[in-house]
Protein backbone atom coordinates (compact mmCIF):
# COMPACT_ATOMS: atom_id res chain seq x y z
CA UNK A 1 0.00 0.00 0.00
CA UNK A 2 2.81 2.43 0.74
CA UNK A 3 4.26 2.27 -2.79
CA UNK A 4 0.75 2.96 -4.06
CA UNK A 5 0.68 6.08 -1.89
CA UNK A 6 4.06 7.10 -3.33
CA UNK A 7 2.72 6.71 -6.86
CA UNK A 8 -0.40 8.63 -5.91
CA UNK A 9 1.70 11.52 -4.56
CA UNK A 10 3.97 11.52 -7.61
CA UNK A 11 0.90 11.55 -9.87
CA UNK A 12 -0.61 14.48 -7.95
CA UNK A 13 2.67 16.37 -8.34
CA UNK A 14 2.92 15.64 -12.07
CA UNK A 15 -0.70 16.66 -12.59
CA UNK A 16 -0.28 19.91 -10.66
CA UNK A 17 2.99 20.73 -12.38
CA UNK A 18 1.42 20.10 -15.79
CA UNK A 19 -1.66 22.14 -14.89
CA UNK A 20 0.56 25.11 -14.06
CA UNK A 21 1.17 25.71 -17.74
CA UNK A 22 -2.06 27.74 -17.58
CA UNK A 23 -0.95 29.87 -14.61
CA UNK A 24 1.20 33.00 -14.40
CA UNK A 25 2.77 32.28 -11.01
CA UNK A 26 4.14 28.77 -11.10
CA UNK A 27 5.10 26.95 -7.93
CA UNK A 28 8.55 25.38 -7.79
CA UNK A 29 8.60 21.58 -8.10
CA UNK A 30 9.99 21.22 -4.56
CA UNK A 31 7.05 23.18 -3.12
CA UNK A 32 4.54 21.04 -5.01
CA UNK A 33 6.23 17.89 -3.77
CA UNK A 34 6.43 18.98 -0.13
CA UNK A 35 2.79 20.05 0.00
CA UNK A 36 1.57 16.79 -1.54
CA UNK A 37 3.71 14.65 0.76
CA UNK A 38 2.28 16.51 3.76
CA UNK A 39 -1.29 16.53 2.47
CA UNK A 40 -1.42 12.83 1.63
CA UNK A 41 0.57 11.54 4.58
CA UNK A 42 3.39 10.22 2.49
CA UNK A 43 6.39 10.79 4.71
CA UNK A 44 7.15 7.06 4.62
CA UNK A 45 7.22 7.29 0.82
CA UNK A 46 9.12 10.58 0.51
CA UNK A 47 12.10 9.07 -1.32
CA UNK A 48 10.00 6.92 -3.67
CA UNK A 49 7.53 9.72 -4.52
CA UNK A 50 10.33 12.25 -4.97
CA UNK A 51 12.23 9.97 -7.33
CA UNK A 52 9.12 9.15 -9.36
CA UNK A 53 8.11 12.79 -9.70
CA UNK A 54 11.49 14.35 -10.43
CA UNK A 55 12.81 11.57 -12.66
CA UNK A 56 9.57 11.45 -14.65
CA UNK A 57 9.88 15.21 -15.18
CA UNK A 58 13.56 14.84 -16.14
CA UNK A 59 12.73 12.18 -18.74
CA UNK A 60 9.49 13.74 -19.93
CA UNK A 61 10.58 14.36 -23.53
CA UNK A 62 11.54 10.71 -24.02
CA UNK A 63 8.36 9.57 -22.29
CA UNK A 64 6.10 11.90 -24.29
CA UNK A 65 7.62 10.71 -27.56
CA UNK A 66 6.83 7.13 -26.52
CA UNK A 67 3.23 8.11 -25.79
CA UNK A 68 2.89 9.72 -29.20
CA UNK A 69 4.39 6.65 -30.89
CA UNK A 70 2.12 4.23 -28.99
CA UNK A 71 -1.01 6.38 -29.51
CA UNK A 72 -0.43 8.21 -32.80
CA UNK A 73 -4.06 9.27 -33.11
CA UNK A 74 -3.71 11.17 -29.81
CA UNK A 75 -1.20 14.05 -29.92
CA UNK A 76 0.19 14.57 -26.42
CA UNK A 77 -1.50 17.98 -26.13
CA UNK A 78 -4.91 16.38 -26.77
CA UNK A 79 -4.61 13.72 -24.07
CA UNK A 80 -6.33 14.99 -20.93
CA UNK A 81 -4.12 15.98 -17.99
CA UNK A 82 -5.04 12.94 -15.90
CA UNK A 83 -4.35 10.31 -18.55
CA UNK A 84 -1.24 12.09 -19.77
CA UNK A 85 0.35 12.16 -16.32
CA UNK A 86 -0.70 8.61 -15.40
CA UNK A 87 0.96 7.47 -18.63
CA UNK A 88 4.11 9.47 -17.88
CA UNK A 89 4.39 7.92 -14.47
CA UNK A 90 3.75 4.39 -15.75
CA UNK A 91 6.18 4.71 -18.64
CA UNK A 92 8.87 6.07 -16.34
CA UNK A 93 8.50 3.01 -14.11
CA UNK A 94 8.47 0.64 -17.08
CA UNK A 95 11.59 2.15 -18.63
CA UNK A 96 13.66 3.23 -15.67
CA UNK A 97 12.18 1.49 -12.63
CA UNK A 98 13.49 -1.60 -10.90
CA UNK A 99 11.57 -4.36 -12.70
CA UNK A 100 12.81 -6.95 -10.20
CA UNK A 101 11.29 -5.02 -7.28
CA UNK A 102 8.15 -4.00 -9.20
CA UNK A 103 7.27 -6.22 -12.16
CA UNK A 104 5.97 -4.45 -15.29
CA UNK A 105 2.49 -5.96 -14.90
CA UNK A 106 2.25 -4.43 -11.42
CA UNK A 107 3.34 -1.05 -12.82
CA UNK A 108 0.63 -1.26 -15.49
CA UNK A 109 -2.04 -2.33 -12.97
CA UNK A 110 -1.10 0.49 -10.60
CA UNK A 111 -1.33 3.02 -13.44
CA UNK A 112 -4.74 1.66 -14.46
CA UNK A 113 -5.97 2.00 -10.86
CA UNK A 114 -4.81 5.63 -10.67
CA UNK A 115 -6.50 6.32 -14.02
CA UNK A 116 -9.75 4.71 -12.86
CA UNK A 117 -9.67 6.65 -9.60
CA UNK A 118 -9.12 10.09 -11.11
CA UNK A 119 -10.08 9.80 -14.77
CA UNK A 120 -13.16 9.15 -16.83
CA UNK A 121 -14.88 5.85 -17.49
CA UNK A 122 -12.54 5.19 -20.41
CA UNK A 123 -9.29 6.25 -18.71
CA UNK A 124 -8.40 2.79 -17.44
CA UNK A 125 -8.81 1.24 -20.88
CA UNK A 126 -6.84 4.01 -22.57
CA UNK A 127 -3.95 3.78 -20.11
CA UNK A 128 -3.98 -0.01 -20.33
CA UNK A 129 -3.86 0.12 -24.13
CA UNK A 130 -0.96 2.57 -24.33
CA UNK A 131 1.12 0.97 -21.57
CA UNK A 132 0.38 -2.50 -22.94
CA UNK A 133 1.62 -1.43 -26.38
CA UNK A 134 4.82 0.02 -24.91
CA UNK A 135 5.40 -3.06 -22.73
CA UNK A 136 4.98 -5.43 -25.68
CA UNK A 137 7.40 -3.33 -27.73
CA UNK A 138 9.93 -3.41 -24.87
CA UNK A 139 9.64 -7.19 -24.63
CA UNK A 140 10.11 -7.57 -28.39
CA UNK A 141 13.23 -5.40 -28.33
CA UNK A 142 14.58 -7.36 -25.37
CA UNK A 143 13.98 -10.69 -27.11
CA UNK A 144 15.80 -9.46 -30.22
CA UNK A 145 18.99 -8.79 -28.24
Amino acid sequence: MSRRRGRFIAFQCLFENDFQQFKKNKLPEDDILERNIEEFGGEDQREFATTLFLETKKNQKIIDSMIEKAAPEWPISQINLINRNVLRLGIYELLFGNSKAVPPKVVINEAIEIAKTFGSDSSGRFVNGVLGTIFREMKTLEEEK
Side-chain angles (χ1 to χ4, degrees), residues 31 33 41 44 50 52 58 61 73 88 91 94-96 106-107 113 115 121 126 128 131 140 143:
D31 291 353
L33 185 61
D44 60 331
T50 300
L52 285 178
K58 183 173 124 182
K61 285 185 180 176
E73 64 282 354
R88 286 173 175 160
I91 293 167
L94 284 175
L95 291 179
F96 305 105
V106 172
V107 169
E113 288 306 311
D121 291 341
F126 179 72
N128 185 37
L131 292 181
T140 302
E143 289 167 0

PDB file of all heavy atoms in Angstrom, residues 31 33 41 44 50 52 58 61 73 88 91 94-96 106-107 113 115 121 126 128 131 140 143:
ATOM      1  N   ASP A  31       8.208  22.754  -3.912  1.00  0.00           N
ATOM      2  CA  ASP A  31       7.048  23.177  -3.117  1.00  0.00           C
ATOM      3  C   ASP A  31       5.841  22.270  -3.386  1.00  0.00           C
ATOM      4  O   ASP A  31       5.106  21.898  -2.466  1.00  0.00           O
ATOM      5  CB  ASP A  31       6.674  24.627  -3.411  1.00  0.00           C
ATOM      6  CG  ASP A  31       7.706  25.624  -2.894  1.00  0.00           C
ATOM      7  OD1 ASP A  31       8.655  25.202  -2.193  1.00  0.00           O
ATOM      8  OD2 ASP A  31       7.564  26.827  -3.194  1.00  0.00           O
ATOM      9  N   LEU A  33       5.924  19.185  -4.367  1.00  0.00           N
ATOM     10  CA  LEU A  33       6.233  17.893  -3.773  1.00  0.00           C
ATOM     11  C   LEU A  33       6.031  17.908  -2.259  1.00  0.00           C
ATOM     12  O   LEU A  33       5.360  17.034  -1.703  1.00  0.00           O
ATOM     13  CB  LEU A  33       7.671  17.506  -4.116  1.00  0.00           C
ATOM     14  CG  LEU A  33       8.144  16.135  -3.694  1.00  0.00           C
ATOM     15  CD1 LEU A  33       7.320  15.043  -4.348  1.00  0.00           C
ATOM     16  CD2 LEU A  33       9.607  15.963  -4.055  1.00  0.00           C
ATOM     17  N   GLY A  41      -0.054  12.388   3.572  1.00  0.00           N
ATOM     18  CA  GLY A  41       0.573  11.538   4.577  1.00  0.00           C
ATOM     19  C   GLY A  41       1.599  10.582   4.015  1.00  0.00           C
ATOM     20  O   GLY A  41       1.600   9.403   4.346  1.00  0.00           O
ATOM     21  N   ASP A  44       6.486   8.359   4.755  1.00  0.00           N
ATOM     22  CA  ASP A  44       7.145   7.060   4.616  1.00  0.00           C
ATOM     23  C   ASP A  44       7.515   6.754   3.166  1.00  0.00           C
ATOM     24  O   ASP A  44       8.330   5.877   2.898  1.00  0.00           O
ATOM     25  CB  ASP A  44       6.276   5.937   5.186  1.00  0.00           C
ATOM     26  CG  ASP A  44       4.919   5.820   4.498  1.00  0.00           C
ATOM     27  OD1 ASP A  44       4.396   6.848   4.006  1.00  0.00           O
ATOM     28  OD2 ASP A  44       4.380   4.707   4.457  1.00  0.00           O
ATOM     29  N   THR A  50       9.423  11.220  -4.445  1.00  0.00           N
ATOM     30  CA  THR A  50      10.330  12.247  -4.969  1.00  0.00           C
ATOM     31  C   THR A  50      11.031  11.758  -6.229  1.00  0.00           C
ATOM     32  O   THR A  50      11.084  12.454  -7.238  1.00  0.00           O
ATOM     33  CB  THR A  50      11.368  12.648  -3.899  1.00  0.00           C
ATOM     34  OG1 THR A  50      10.674  13.171  -2.765  1.00  0.00           O
ATOM     35  CG2 THR A  50      12.335  13.693  -4.424  1.00  0.00           C
ATOM     36  N   LEU A  52      10.090   9.298  -8.268  1.00  0.00           N
ATOM     37  CA  LEU A  52       9.119   9.150  -9.361  1.00  0.00           C
ATOM     38  C   LEU A  52       8.789  10.494  -9.999  1.00  0.00           C
ATOM     39  O   LEU A  52       8.793  10.625 -11.229  1.00  0.00           O
ATOM     40  CB  LEU A  52       7.830   8.500  -8.860  1.00  0.00           C
ATOM     41  CG  LEU A  52       7.858   7.012  -8.587  1.00  0.00           C
ATOM     42  CD1 LEU A  52       6.502   6.562  -8.055  1.00  0.00           C
ATOM     43  CD2 LEU A  52       8.221   6.216  -9.822  1.00  0.00           C
ATOM     44  N   LYS A  58      12.258  14.778 -15.459  1.00  0.00           N
ATOM     45  CA  LYS A  58      13.555  14.838 -16.138  1.00  0.00           C
ATOM     46  C   LYS A  58      13.522  14.090 -17.478  1.00  0.00           C
ATOM     47  O   LYS A  58      14.159  14.512 -18.435  1.00  0.00           O
ATOM     48  CB  LYS A  58      14.628  14.240 -15.223  1.00  0.00           C
ATOM     49  CG  LYS A  58      16.024  14.308 -15.771  1.00  0.00           C
ATOM     50  CD  LYS A  58      16.993  13.856 -14.705  1.00  0.00           C
ATOM     51  CE  LYS A  58      17.828  12.724 -15.228  1.00  0.00           C
ATOM     52  NZ  LYS A  58      18.762  12.200 -14.237  1.00  0.00           N
ATOM     53  N   LYS A  61      10.540  14.316 -22.064  1.00  0.00           N
ATOM     54  CA  LYS A  61      10.579  14.363 -23.533  1.00  0.00           C
ATOM     55  C   LYS A  61      10.631  12.957 -24.127  1.00  0.00           C
ATOM     56  O   LYS A  61       9.917  12.659 -25.090  1.00  0.00           O
ATOM     57  CB  LYS A  61      11.765  15.199 -24.011  1.00  0.00           C
ATOM     58  CG  LYS A  61      11.545  16.678 -23.834  1.00  0.00           C
ATOM     59  CD  LYS A  61      12.660  17.485 -24.427  1.00  0.00           C
ATOM     60  CE  LYS A  61      12.345  18.961 -24.188  1.00  0.00           C
ATOM     61  NZ  LYS A  61      13.360  19.844 -24.627  1.00  0.00           N
ATOM     62  N   GLU A  73      -2.841   8.500 -32.847  1.00  0.00           N
ATOM     63  CA  GLU A  73      -4.062   9.271 -33.107  1.00  0.00           C
ATOM     64  C   GLU A  73      -4.357  10.281 -31.994  1.00  0.00           C
ATOM     65  O   GLU A  73      -5.303  11.044 -32.085  1.00  0.00           O
ATOM     66  CB  GLU A  73      -5.262   8.333 -33.314  1.00  0.00           C
ATOM     67  CG  GLU A  73      -5.638   7.496 -32.115  1.00  0.00           C
ATOM     68  CD  GLU A  73      -4.743   6.282 -31.866  1.00  0.00           C
ATOM     69  OE1 GLU A  73      -3.857   5.968 -32.668  1.00  0.00           O
ATOM     70  OE2 GLU A  73      -4.939   5.633 -30.828  1.00  0.00           O
ATOM     71  N   ARG A  88       2.716   9.068 -18.133  1.00  0.00           N
ATOM     72  CA  ARG A  88       4.107   9.471 -17.884  1.00  0.00           C
ATOM     73  C   ARG A  88       4.690   8.701 -16.708  1.00  0.00           C
ATOM     74  O   ARG A  88       5.812   8.204 -16.781  1.00  0.00           O
ATOM     75  CB  ARG A  88       4.179  10.973 -17.619  1.00  0.00           C
ATOM     76  CG  ARG A  88       3.997  11.813 -18.862  1.00  0.00           C
ATOM     77  CD  ARG A  88       3.909  13.280 -18.536  1.00  0.00           C
ATOM     78  NE  ARG A  88       3.863  14.089 -19.755  1.00  0.00           N
ATOM     79  CZ  ARG A  88       3.419  15.332 -19.803  1.00  0.00           C
ATOM     80  NH1 ARG A  88       2.985  15.930 -18.697  1.00  0.00           N
ATOM     81  NH2 ARG A  88       3.410  15.983 -20.940  1.00  0.00           N
ATOM     82  N   ILE A  91       5.095   4.929 -17.685  1.00  0.00           N
ATOM     83  CA  ILE A  91       6.182   4.712 -18.636  1.00  0.00           C
ATOM     84  C   ILE A  91       7.526   4.906 -17.943  1.00  0.00           C
ATOM     85  O   ILE A  91       8.466   4.139 -18.184  1.00  0.00           O
ATOM     86  CB  ILE A  91       6.036   5.626 -19.871  1.00  0.00           C
ATOM     87  CG1 ILE A  91       4.807   5.204 -20.674  1.00  0.00           C
ATOM     88  CG2 ILE A  91       7.298   5.592 -20.733  1.00  0.00           C
ATOM     89  CD1 ILE A  91       4.377   6.191 -21.737  1.00  0.00           C
ATOM     90  N   LEU A  94       8.167   1.734 -16.158  1.00  0.00           N
ATOM     91  CA  LEU A  94       8.469   0.640 -17.078  1.00  0.00           C
ATOM     92  C   LEU A  94       9.896   0.745 -17.627  1.00  0.00           C
ATOM     93  O   LEU A  94      10.616  -0.245 -17.710  1.00  0.00           O
ATOM     94  CB  LEU A  94       7.480   0.615 -18.250  1.00  0.00           C
ATOM     95  CG  LEU A  94       6.088   0.083 -17.983  1.00  0.00           C
ATOM     96  CD1 LEU A  94       5.209   0.255 -19.219  1.00  0.00           C
ATOM     97  CD2 LEU A  94       6.124  -1.377 -17.558  1.00  0.00           C
ATOM     98  N   LEU A  95      10.281   1.958 -18.001  1.00  0.00           N
ATOM     99  CA  LEU A  95      11.589   2.154 -18.631  1.00  0.00           C
ATOM    100  C   LEU A  95      12.748   2.209 -17.642  1.00  0.00           C
ATOM    101  O   LEU A  95      13.807   1.644 -17.900  1.00  0.00           O
ATOM    102  CB  LEU A  95      11.606   3.462 -19.430  1.00  0.00           C
ATOM    103  CG  LEU A  95      10.775   3.538 -20.685  1.00  0.00           C
ATOM    104  CD1 LEU A  95      10.920   4.910 -21.312  1.00  0.00           C
ATOM    105  CD2 LEU A  95      11.190   2.469 -21.664  1.00  0.00           C
ATOM    106  N   PHE A  96      12.547   2.916 -16.556  1.00  0.00           N
ATOM    107  CA  PHE A  96      13.660   3.230 -15.668  1.00  0.00           C
ATOM    108  C   PHE A  96      13.548   2.627 -14.276  1.00  0.00           C
ATOM    109  O   PHE A  96      14.482   2.707 -13.492  1.00  0.00           O
ATOM    110  CB  PHE A  96      13.816   4.753 -15.540  1.00  0.00           C
ATOM    111  CG  PHE A  96      13.974   5.451 -16.859  1.00  0.00           C
ATOM    112  CD1 PHE A  96      12.928   6.179 -17.407  1.00  0.00           C
ATOM    113  CD2 PHE A  96      15.164   5.375 -17.565  1.00  0.00           C
ATOM    114  CE1 PHE A  96      13.063   6.829 -18.629  1.00  0.00           C
ATOM    115  CE2 PHE A  96      15.311   6.022 -18.789  1.00  0.00           C
ATOM    116  CZ  PHE A  96      14.258   6.755 -19.319  1.00  0.00           C
ATOM    117  N   VAL A 106       2.685  -5.179 -12.606  1.00  0.00           N
ATOM    118  CA  VAL A 106       2.253  -4.433 -11.419  1.00  0.00           C
ATOM    119  C   VAL A 106       2.246  -2.939 -11.734  1.00  0.00           C
ATOM    120  O   VAL A 106       1.307  -2.220 -11.375  1.00  0.00           O
ATOM    121  CB  VAL A 106       3.152  -4.743 -10.202  1.00  0.00           C
ATOM    122  CG1 VAL A 106       2.835  -3.826  -9.029  1.00  0.00           C
ATOM    123  CG2 VAL A 106       3.024  -6.205  -9.803  1.00  0.00           C
ATOM    124  N   VAL A 107       3.280  -2.467 -12.422  1.00  0.00           N
ATOM    125  CA  VAL A 107       3.344  -1.054 -12.819  1.00  0.00           C
ATOM    126  C   VAL A 107       2.108  -0.692 -13.647  1.00  0.00           C
ATOM    127  O   VAL A 107       1.451   0.324 -13.399  1.00  0.00           O
ATOM    128  CB  VAL A 107       4.637  -0.763 -13.623  1.00  0.00           C
ATOM    129  CG1 VAL A 107       4.581   0.610 -14.272  1.00  0.00           C
ATOM    130  CG2 VAL A 107       5.860  -0.893 -12.736  1.00  0.00           C
ATOM    131  N   GLU A 113      -5.206   1.641 -12.064  1.00  0.00           N
ATOM    132  CA  GLU A 113      -5.973   1.996 -10.860  1.00  0.00           C
ATOM    133  C   GLU A 113      -5.984   3.504 -10.623  1.00  0.00           C
ATOM    134  O   GLU A 113      -7.015   4.070 -10.262  1.00  0.00           O
ATOM    135  CB  GLU A 113      -5.424   1.259  -9.632  1.00  0.00           C
ATOM    136  CG  GLU A 113      -5.735  -0.220  -9.629  1.00  0.00           C
ATOM    137  CD  GLU A 113      -7.228  -0.521  -9.788  1.00  0.00           C
ATOM    138  OE1 GLU A 113      -8.048   0.088  -9.070  1.00  0.00           O
ATOM    139  OE2 GLU A 113      -7.576  -1.361 -10.641  1.00  0.00           O
ATOM    140  N   ALA A 115      -5.646   5.777 -12.946  1.00  0.00           N
ATOM    141  CA  ALA A 115      -6.496   6.322 -14.021  1.00  0.00           C
ATOM    142  C   ALA A 115      -7.972   6.136 -13.715  1.00  0.00           C
ATOM    143  O   ALA A 115      -8.780   7.053 -13.920  1.00  0.00           O
ATOM    144  CB  ALA A 115      -6.138   5.656 -15.353  1.00  0.00           C
ATOM    145  N   ASP A 121     -14.552   7.264 -17.356  1.00  0.00           N
ATOM    146  CA  ASP A 121     -14.881   5.847 -17.495  1.00  0.00           C
ATOM    147  C   ASP A 121     -13.925   5.121 -18.436  1.00  0.00           C
ATOM    148  O   ASP A 121     -13.660   3.940 -18.273  1.00  0.00           O
ATOM    149  CB  ASP A 121     -16.319   5.675 -17.997  1.00  0.00           C
ATOM    150  CG  ASP A 121     -17.347   6.079 -16.956  1.00  0.00           C
ATOM    151  OD1 ASP A 121     -16.995   6.151 -15.765  1.00  0.00           O
ATOM    152  OD2 ASP A 121     -18.505   6.321 -17.343  1.00  0.00           O
ATOM    153  N   PHE A 126      -7.811   3.252 -21.779  1.00  0.00           N
ATOM    154  CA  PHE A 126      -6.843   4.010 -22.574  1.00  0.00           C
ATOM    155  C   PHE A 126      -5.427   3.805 -22.037  1.00  0.00           C
ATOM    156  O   PHE A 126      -4.504   3.486 -22.785  1.00  0.00           O
ATOM    157  CB  PHE A 126      -7.212   5.501 -22.567  1.00  0.00           C
ATOM    158  CG  PHE A 126      -6.252   6.365 -23.342  1.00  0.00           C
ATOM    159  CD1 PHE A 126      -6.232   6.316 -24.725  1.00  0.00           C
ATOM    160  CD2 PHE A 126      -5.383   7.221 -22.686  1.00  0.00           C
ATOM    161  CE1 PHE A 126      -5.349   7.111 -25.451  1.00  0.00           C
ATOM    162  CE2 PHE A 126      -4.500   8.013 -23.400  1.00  0.00           C
ATOM    163  CZ  PHE A 126      -4.484   7.967 -24.791  1.00  0.00           C
ATOM    164  N   ASN A 128      -4.341   1.381 -20.126  1.00  0.00           N
ATOM    165  CA  ASN A 128      -3.977  -0.014 -20.334  1.00  0.00           C
ATOM    166  C   ASN A 128      -3.510  -0.248 -21.765  1.00  0.00           C
ATOM    167  O   ASN A 128      -2.501  -0.925 -22.004  1.00  0.00           O
ATOM    168  CB  ASN A 128      -5.159  -0.926 -20.004  1.00  0.00           C
ATOM    169  CG  ASN A 128      -4.803  -2.388 -20.082  1.00  0.00           C
ATOM    170  OD1 ASN A 128      -3.717  -2.808 -19.734  1.00  0.00           O
ATOM    171  ND2 ASN A 128      -5.749  -3.186 -20.565  1.00  0.00           N
ATOM    172  N   LEU A 131       0.041   1.631 -22.313  1.00  0.00           N
ATOM    173  CA  LEU A 131       1.123   0.972 -21.567  1.00  0.00           C
ATOM    174  C   LEU A 131       1.342  -0.458 -22.058  1.00  0.00           C
ATOM    175  O   LEU A 131       2.484  -0.928 -22.124  1.00  0.00           O
ATOM    176  CB  LEU A 131       0.847   0.989 -20.066  1.00  0.00           C
ATOM    177  CG  LEU A 131       0.883   2.357 -19.397  1.00  0.00           C
ATOM    178  CD1 LEU A 131       0.608   2.226 -17.906  1.00  0.00           C
ATOM    179  CD2 LEU A 131       2.206   3.065 -19.639  1.00  0.00           C
ATOM    180  N   THR A 140       9.632  -7.184 -27.058  1.00  0.00           N
ATOM    181  CA  THR A 140      10.106  -7.569 -28.390  1.00  0.00           C
ATOM    182  C   THR A 140      11.547  -7.137 -28.580  1.00  0.00           C
ATOM    183  O   THR A 140      12.375  -7.909 -29.060  1.00  0.00           O
ATOM    184  CB  THR A 140       9.204  -6.962 -29.484  1.00  0.00           C
ATOM    185  OG1 THR A 140       7.865  -7.401 -29.280  1.00  0.00           O
ATOM    186  CG2 THR A 140       9.668  -7.349 -30.866  1.00  0.00           C
ATOM    187  N   GLU A 143      13.848  -9.356 -26.539  1.00  0.00           N
ATOM    188  CA  GLU A 143      13.984 -10.691 -27.112  1.00  0.00           C
ATOM    189  C   GLU A 143      14.915 -10.697 -28.323  1.00  0.00           C
ATOM    190  O   GLU A 143      15.576 -11.678 -28.606  1.00  0.00           O
ATOM    191  CB  GLU A 143      12.618 -11.248 -27.498  1.00  0.00           C
ATOM    192  CG  GLU A 143      11.771 -11.599 -26.294  1.00  0.00           C
ATOM    193  CD  GLU A 143      10.318 -11.864 -26.640  1.00  0.00           C
ATOM    194  OE1 GLU A 143       9.938 -11.771 -27.831  1.00  0.00           O
ATOM    195  OE2 GLU A 143       9.545 -12.154 -25.707  1.00  0.00           O
TER     196      GLU A 143
END
